Amino acid sequence: AGATLHWSGMPVSSATQVLTTSGTATVTGGEVDVALGDLAPGAQATVTINFSSLAAGAPASTATVSCATTEVSTANNTHVLGLTVGSL
């Protein structure tokens, strides 16, 4: 089964590209799901989402990683990203 990343809360329907160093990514509506595959303990994967444009404001989004196996620590499985998008 492996690890999965779920990203929500941003208007990702304007995503132009989703890159991952492990697994495959899909964009559905306003959410991104990445099947990261099996990651060894301590291993990392990077997911990059490129946007063509966003409305001005301060959107917040949450990325959550989960896996089918038991983890020693789940403290690093969620990240909330806040950013400011200015108008052009």
Side-chain angles (χ1 to χ4, degrees):
T4 59
L5 173 117
H6 179 77
W7 180 289
S8 62
M10 264 186 154
V12 294
S13 58
S14 62
T16 57
Q17 187 177 47
V18 179
L19 304 171
T20 179
T21 59
S22 177
T24 57
T26 57
V27 178
T28 306
E31 300 180 359
V32 172
D33 289 294
V34 183
L36 297 168
D38 293 331
L39 297 174
Q44 297 180 357
T46 300
V47 176
T48 303
I49 303 172
N50 295 317
F51 296 91
S52 60
S53 65
L54 294 171
S61 64
T62 302
T64 304
V65 176
S66 59
C67 65
T69 59
T70 303
E71 284 190 75
V72 175
S73 173
T74 59
N76 63 350
N77 287 4
T78 300
H79 182 74
V80 177
L81 172 68
L83 60 104
T84 301
V85 179
S87 59
L88 297 175

